[in-house]
Amino acid sequence: MSQQKQASAKHHVAGYAFSLVLTFVALFVALYTSLPASVKLIGIVVLAILQMVVQLIYFMHVTEGSKIYQLLSLGYGIFVAIVVVAGSIWIMLYNTMTQ
Amino acid sequence: MAELDQKVNLPDFPEYQTEDGRLKIFGFWVFLAAEVVLFSTLFATYLVFKDQTAGGPTAKDLFEVKEFMAETLILLTSSFTCGLATLKMRLGQKKGVLMWMGLTLLLGLGFMVMEIGEFIKYVGEGATIGTSAFLSAFYVLLSTHGVHVSLGILWVSLLLIQVVKRGLTPITSRKLFIAGLYWHFLDVVWIFVFTAVYLTGLVS
């Protein structure tokens, strides 16, 4: 058991390294590349989602405890969040188009 | 004070030892899911209004890469030190918990000082909460996150006093684990602020 715990110190350092890399890649994609704006936006959103997954797995230990119920409730929260955010942007897009 | 250094005889994963602990941790995940929804409404509002600047300053006029990168790195680092505190808690090392959680608190305070400084600077440039729909949505989203961080600092400070007094028990361990979940969650919210507010503001 103590070996498993020792391994998780490396686990945390790996999580930190991943989160730093993802942050700087997002900054680079957004500000220092000449990609079209839509590609940049999709890219940084994907990087943010990866960043969230890193935090959930490496730091928040989402796979421990009541694993299925935790993931279900969090998944439902994220589903509602996507509906609210994407739905609002979608509706307001049509709103400005008809003006 | 020698007892501080002593390894406490705790079971593995002390936070999950009791039914009560397991249920409270699960309950906190449900709370976090509700927080996801709360923040999503504020993000939706911000994203809908981000270009409605009413002739006032725009995102490009206000945001500075150095400032928001510093805030992001401080918060990411605090998430890491908080993770190490959870690790030390599981190893039963009280001194390690106090050190890493203390460092997390200092980084949290540093973040709040930077964010408040940023707001004061923006207001000085004529970008107040009443200037435009963009700025109203901006301040409401960022302040809601900032209030959460401030409450987290207060919560963890009180919790550390309890850890000093009672040591690492299955109960204080569970409390530390839950406070850690809250802190990491605030970092996740900030990642989306970094992406949807700062980076998006400088892209479009």
PDB file of all heavy atoms in Angstrom, chain B residues 130-153:
ATOM      1  N   GLY B 130     -21.012  49.117 -14.451  1.00  0.00           N
ATOM      2  CA  GLY B 130     -22.155  49.738 -15.121  1.00  0.00           C
ATOM      3  C   GLY B 130     -21.842  50.250 -16.523  1.00  0.00           C
ATOM      4  O   GLY B 130     -22.712  50.800 -17.191  1.00  0.00           O
ATOM      5  N   THR B 131     -20.599  50.080 -16.981  1.00  0.00           N
ATOM      6  CA  THR B 131     -20.203  50.650 -18.268  1.00  0.00           C
ATOM      7  C   THR B 131     -20.912  49.989 -19.451  1.00  0.00           C
ATOM      8  O   THR B 131     -21.392  50.664 -20.346  1.00  0.00           O
ATOM      9  CB  THR B 131     -18.671  50.543 -18.458  1.00  0.00           C
ATOM     10  OG1 THR B 131     -18.040  51.135 -17.319  1.00  0.00           O
ATOM     11  CG2 THR B 131     -18.209  51.245 -19.715  1.00  0.00           C
ATOM     12  N   SER B 132     -20.941  48.662 -19.453  1.00  0.00           N
ATOM     13  CA  SER B 132     -21.555  47.959 -20.583  1.00  0.00           C
ATOM     14  C   SER B 132     -22.029  46.581 -20.137  1.00  0.00           C
ATOM     15  O   SER B 132     -21.641  46.100 -19.069  1.00  0.00           O
ATOM     16  CB  SER B 132     -20.548  47.819 -21.727  1.00  0.00           C
ATOM     17  OG  SER B 132     -19.441  47.057 -21.295  1.00  0.00           O
ATOM     18  N   ALA B 133     -22.842  45.943 -20.999  1.00  0.00           N
ATOM     19  CA  ALA B 133     -23.310  44.578 -20.704  1.00  0.00           C
ATOM     20  C   ALA B 133     -22.105  43.639 -20.600  1.00  0.00           C
ATOM     21  O   ALA B 133     -22.058  42.750 -19.742  1.00  0.00           O
ATOM     22  CB  ALA B 133     -24.267  44.100 -21.782  1.00  0.00           C
ATOM     23  N   PHE B 134     -21.111  43.839 -21.475  1.00  0.00           N
ATOM     24  CA  PHE B 134     -19.883  43.035 -21.434  1.00  0.00           C
ATOM     25  C   PHE B 134     -19.240  43.103 -20.053  1.00  0.00           C
ATOM     26  O   PHE B 134     -18.923  42.062 -19.442  1.00  0.00           O
ATOM     27  CB  PHE B 134     -18.914  43.528 -22.526  1.00  0.00           C
ATOM     28  CG  PHE B 134     -17.448  43.307 -22.244  1.00  0.00           C
ATOM     29  CD1 PHE B 134     -16.931  42.026 -22.098  1.00  0.00           C
ATOM     30  CD2 PHE B 134     -16.569  44.385 -22.140  1.00  0.00           C
ATOM     31  CE1 PHE B 134     -15.566  41.820 -21.847  1.00  0.00           C
ATOM     32  CE2 PHE B 134     -15.215  44.189 -21.893  1.00  0.00           C
ATOM     33  CZ  PHE B 134     -14.718  42.900 -21.737  1.00  0.00           C
ATOM     34  N   LEU B 135     -19.076  44.333 -19.527  1.00  0.00           N
ATOM     35  CA  LEU B 135     -18.393  44.471 -18.236  1.00  0.00           C
ATOM     36  C   LEU B 135     -19.247  43.999 -17.064  1.00  0.00           C
ATOM     37  O   LEU B 135     -18.720  43.451 -16.101  1.00  0.00           O
ATOM     38  CB  LEU B 135     -17.923  45.915 -18.050  1.00  0.00           C
ATOM     39  CG  LEU B 135     -16.686  46.221 -18.917  1.00  0.00           C
ATOM     40  CD1 LEU B 135     -16.474  47.714 -19.036  1.00  0.00           C
ATOM     41  CD2 LEU B 135     -15.439  45.547 -18.370  1.00  0.00           C
ATOM     42  N   SER B 136     -20.580  44.186 -17.147  1.00  0.00           N
ATOM     43  CA  SER B 136     -21.451  43.671 -16.074  1.00  0.00           C
ATOM     44  C   SER B 136     -21.281  42.165 -15.972  1.00  0.00           C
ATOM     45  O   SER B 136     -21.071  41.617 -14.880  1.00  0.00           O
ATOM     46  CB  SER B 136     -22.920  43.979 -16.362  1.00  0.00           C
ATOM     47  OG  SER B 136     -23.102  45.348 -16.578  1.00  0.00           O
ATOM     48  N   ALA B 137     -21.360  41.484 -17.140  1.00  0.00           N
ATOM     49  CA  ALA B 137     -21.243  40.019 -17.159  1.00  0.00           C
ATOM     50  C   ALA B 137     -19.849  39.595 -16.704  1.00  0.00           C
ATOM     51  O   ALA B 137     -19.692  38.619 -15.955  1.00  0.00           O
ATOM     52  CB  ALA B 137     -21.544  39.496 -18.560  1.00  0.00           C
ATOM     53  N   PHE B 138     -18.826  40.353 -17.133  1.00  0.00           N
ATOM     54  CA  PHE B 138     -17.437  40.056 -16.752  1.00  0.00           C
ATOM     55  C   PHE B 138     -17.255  40.114 -15.237  1.00  0.00           C
ATOM     56  O   PHE B 138     -16.758  39.165 -14.616  1.00  0.00           O
ATOM     57  CB  PHE B 138     -16.497  41.049 -17.453  1.00  0.00           C
ATOM     58  CG  PHE B 138     -15.072  40.992 -16.974  1.00  0.00           C
ATOM     59  CD1 PHE B 138     -14.200  40.044 -17.475  1.00  0.00           C
ATOM     60  CD2 PHE B 138     -14.597  41.893 -16.019  1.00  0.00           C
ATOM     61  CE1 PHE B 138     -12.878  39.985 -17.031  1.00  0.00           C
ATOM     62  CE2 PHE B 138     -13.290  41.835 -15.575  1.00  0.00           C
ATOM     63  CZ  PHE B 138     -12.432  40.884 -16.076  1.00  0.00           C
ATOM     64  N   TYR B 139     -17.691  41.243 -14.637  1.00  0.00           N
ATOM     65  CA  TYR B 139     -17.481  41.400 -13.193  1.00  0.00           C
ATOM     66  C   TYR B 139     -18.294  40.386 -12.387  1.00  0.00           C
ATOM     67  O   TYR B 139     -17.811  39.877 -11.373  1.00  0.00           O
ATOM     68  CB  TYR B 139     -17.838  42.821 -12.745  1.00  0.00           C
ATOM     69  CG  TYR B 139     -16.750  43.838 -13.057  1.00  0.00           C
ATOM     70  CD1 TYR B 139     -17.008  44.910 -13.907  1.00  0.00           C
ATOM     71  CD2 TYR B 139     -15.482  43.722 -12.502  1.00  0.00           C
ATOM     72  CE1 TYR B 139     -16.021  45.851 -14.190  1.00  0.00           C
ATOM     73  CE2 TYR B 139     -14.489  44.647 -12.784  1.00  0.00           C
ATOM     74  CZ  TYR B 139     -14.764  45.713 -13.626  1.00  0.00           C
ATOM     75  OH  TYR B 139     -13.783  46.620 -13.904  1.00  0.00           O
ATOM     76  N   VAL B 140     -19.520  40.085 -12.832  1.00  0.00           N
ATOM     77  CA  VAL B 140     -20.346  39.135 -12.076  1.00  0.00           C
ATOM     78  C   VAL B 140     -19.712  37.742 -12.115  1.00  0.00           C
ATOM     79  O   VAL B 140     -19.576  37.078 -11.084  1.00  0.00           O
ATOM     80  CB  VAL B 140     -21.803  39.112 -12.601  1.00  0.00           C
ATOM     81  CG1 VAL B 140     -22.585  37.971 -11.940  1.00  0.00           C
ATOM     82  CG2 VAL B 140     -22.485  40.441 -12.328  1.00  0.00           C
ATOM     83  N   LEU B 141     -19.272  37.313 -13.311  1.00  0.00           N
ATOM     84  CA  LEU B 141     -18.640  35.991 -13.435  1.00  0.00           C
ATOM     85  C   LEU B 141     -17.358  35.908 -12.602  1.00  0.00           C
ATOM     86  O   LEU B 141     -17.183  34.990 -11.795  1.00  0.00           O
ATOM     87  CB  LEU B 141     -18.335  35.704 -14.917  1.00  0.00           C
ATOM     88  CG  LEU B 141     -17.511  34.450 -15.226  1.00  0.00           C
ATOM     89  CD1 LEU B 141     -18.190  33.188 -14.702  1.00  0.00           C
ATOM     90  CD2 LEU B 141     -17.277  34.315 -16.731  1.00  0.00           C
ATOM     91  N   LEU B 142     -16.463  36.897 -12.779  1.00  0.00           N
ATOM     92  CA  LEU B 142     -15.178  36.821 -12.073  1.00  0.00           C
ATOM     93  C   LEU B 142     -15.322  37.010 -10.571  1.00  0.00           C
ATOM     94  O   LEU B 142     -14.604  36.375  -9.803  1.00  0.00           O
ATOM     95  CB  LEU B 142     -14.161  37.798 -12.669  1.00  0.00           C
ATOM     96  CG  LEU B 142     -13.353  37.101 -13.773  1.00  0.00           C
ATOM     97  CD1 LEU B 142     -14.120  37.096 -15.074  1.00  0.00           C
ATOM     98  CD2 LEU B 142     -11.990  37.692 -13.929  1.00  0.00           C
ATOM     99  N   SER B 143     -16.275  37.880 -10.153  1.00  0.00           N
ATOM    100  CA  SER B 143     -16.440  38.079  -8.706  1.00  0.00           C
ATOM    101  C   SER B 143     -17.044  36.851  -8.047  1.00  0.00           C
ATOM    102  O   SER B 143     -16.706  36.532  -6.912  1.00  0.00           O
ATOM    103  CB  SER B 143     -17.333  39.284  -8.401  1.00  0.00           C
ATOM    104  OG  SER B 143     -16.972  40.355  -9.202  1.00  0.00           O
ATOM    105  N   THR B 144     -17.960  36.170  -8.764  1.00  0.00           N
ATOM    106  CA  THR B 144     -18.547  34.956  -8.184  1.00  0.00           C
ATOM    107  C   THR B 144     -17.440  33.933  -7.933  1.00  0.00           C
ATOM    108  O   THR B 144     -17.394  33.304  -6.870  1.00  0.00           O
ATOM    109  CB  THR B 144     -19.624  34.362  -9.118  1.00  0.00           C
ATOM    110  OG1 THR B 144     -20.577  35.386  -9.401  1.00  0.00           O
ATOM    111  CG2 THR B 144     -20.320  33.183  -8.480  1.00  0.00           C
ATOM    112  N   HIS B 145     -16.529  33.823  -8.894  1.00  0.00           N
ATOM    113  CA  HIS B 145     -15.381  32.930  -8.699  1.00  0.00           C
ATOM    114  C   HIS B 145     -14.508  33.435  -7.549  1.00  0.00           C
ATOM    115  O   HIS B 145     -14.098  32.650  -6.678  1.00  0.00           O
ATOM    116  CB  HIS B 145     -14.575  32.823 -10.001  1.00  0.00           C
ATOM    117  CG  HIS B 145     -13.336  31.989  -9.879  1.00  0.00           C
ATOM    118  ND1 HIS B 145     -12.109  32.540  -9.577  1.00  0.00           N
ATOM    119  CD2 HIS B 145     -13.137  30.661  -9.974  1.00  0.00           C
ATOM    120  CE1 HIS B 145     -11.218  31.555  -9.512  1.00  0.00           C
ATOM    121  NE2 HIS B 145     -11.810  30.417  -9.751  1.00  0.00           N
ATOM    122  N   GLY B 146     -14.261  34.759  -7.519  1.00  0.00           N
ATOM    123  CA  GLY B 146     -13.407  35.350  -6.482  1.00  0.00           C
ATOM    124  C   GLY B 146     -13.988  35.157  -5.088  1.00  0.00           C
ATOM    125  O   GLY B 146     -13.256  34.871  -4.136  1.00  0.00           O
ATOM    126  N   VAL B 147     -15.326  35.293  -4.969  1.00  0.00           N
ATOM    127  CA  VAL B 147     -15.982  35.088  -3.677  1.00  0.00           C
ATOM    128  C   VAL B 147     -15.805  33.632  -3.234  1.00  0.00           C
ATOM    129  O   VAL B 147     -15.537  33.351  -2.060  1.00  0.00           O
ATOM    130  CB  VAL B 147     -17.483  35.477  -3.752  1.00  0.00           C
ATOM    131  CG1 VAL B 147     -18.248  34.957  -2.549  1.00  0.00           C
ATOM    132  CG2 VAL B 147     -17.630  36.980  -3.867  1.00  0.00           C
ATOM    133  N   HIS B 148     -15.911  32.709  -4.203  1.00  0.00           N
ATOM    134  CA  HIS B 148     -15.702  31.293  -3.892  1.00  0.00           C
ATOM    135  C   HIS B 148     -14.277  31.054  -3.378  1.00  0.00           C
ATOM    136  O   HIS B 148     -14.081  30.315  -2.416  1.00  0.00           O
ATOM    137  CB  HIS B 148     -15.955  30.422  -5.127  1.00  0.00           C
ATOM    138  CG  HIS B 148     -17.393  30.077  -5.343  1.00  0.00           C
ATOM    139  ND1 HIS B 148     -18.301  30.950  -5.874  1.00  0.00           N
ATOM    140  CD2 HIS B 148     -18.079  28.939  -5.090  1.00  0.00           C
ATOM    141  CE1 HIS B 148     -19.480  30.363  -5.934  1.00  0.00           C
ATOM    142  NE2 HIS B 148     -19.385  29.141  -5.474  1.00  0.00           N
ATOM    143  N   VAL B 149     -13.289  31.687  -4.031  1.00  0.00           N
ATOM    144  CA  VAL B 149     -11.896  31.515  -3.593  1.00  0.00           C
ATOM    145  C   VAL B 149     -11.729  32.086  -2.181  1.00  0.00           C
ATOM    146  O   VAL B 149     -11.110  31.458  -1.311  1.00  0.00           O
ATOM    147  CB  VAL B 149     -10.906  32.180  -4.585  1.00  0.00           C
ATOM    148  CG1 VAL B 149      -9.478  32.119  -4.051  1.00  0.00           C
ATOM    149  CG2 VAL B 149     -10.974  31.496  -5.951  1.00  0.00           C
ATOM    150  N   SER B 150     -12.313  33.279  -1.949  1.00  0.00           N
ATOM    151  CA  SER B 150     -12.191  33.912  -0.623  1.00  0.00           C
ATOM    152  C   SER B 150     -12.809  33.031   0.452  1.00  0.00           C
ATOM    153  O   SER B 150     -12.225  32.846   1.531  1.00  0.00           O
ATOM    154  CB  SER B 150     -12.881  35.282  -0.616  1.00  0.00           C
ATOM    155  OG  SER B 150     -12.395  36.052  -1.682  1.00  0.00           O
ATOM    156  N   LEU B 151     -14.012  32.491   0.163  1.00  0.00           N
ATOM    157  CA  LEU B 151     -14.652  31.597   1.134  1.00  0.00           C
ATOM    158  C   LEU B 151     -13.791  30.356   1.356  1.00  0.00           C
ATOM    159  O   LEU B 151     -13.676  29.862   2.478  1.00  0.00           O
ATOM    160  CB  LEU B 151     -16.041  31.172   0.634  1.00  0.00           C
ATOM    161  CG  LEU B 151     -17.149  32.204   0.793  1.00  0.00           C
ATOM    162  CD1 LEU B 151     -18.446  31.697   0.171  1.00  0.00           C
ATOM    163  CD2 LEU B 151     -17.383  32.528   2.272  1.00  0.00           C
ATOM    164  N   GLY B 152     -13.170  29.866   0.276  1.00  0.00           N
ATOM    165  CA  GLY B 152     -12.288  28.705   0.379  1.00  0.00           C
ATOM    166  C   GLY B 152     -11.116  28.988   1.302  1.00  0.00           C
ATOM    167  O   GLY B 152     -10.732  28.140   2.107  1.00  0.00           O
ATOM    168  N   ILE B 153     -10.542  30.206   1.188  1.00  0.00           N
ATOM    169  CA  ILE B 153      -9.409  30.586   2.033  1.00  0.00           C
ATOM    170  C   ILE B 153      -9.830  30.570   3.507  1.00  0.00           C
ATOM    171  O   ILE B 153      -9.140  30.016   4.369  1.00  0.00           O
ATOM    172  CB  ILE B 153      -8.869  31.978   1.629  1.00  0.00           C
ATOM    173  CG1 ILE B 153      -8.214  31.885   0.233  1.00  0.00           C
ATOM    174  CG2 ILE B 153      -7.864  32.505   2.651  1.00  0.00           C
ATOM    175  CD1 ILE B 153      -7.859  33.229  -0.370  1.00  0.00           C
TER     176      ILE B 153
END
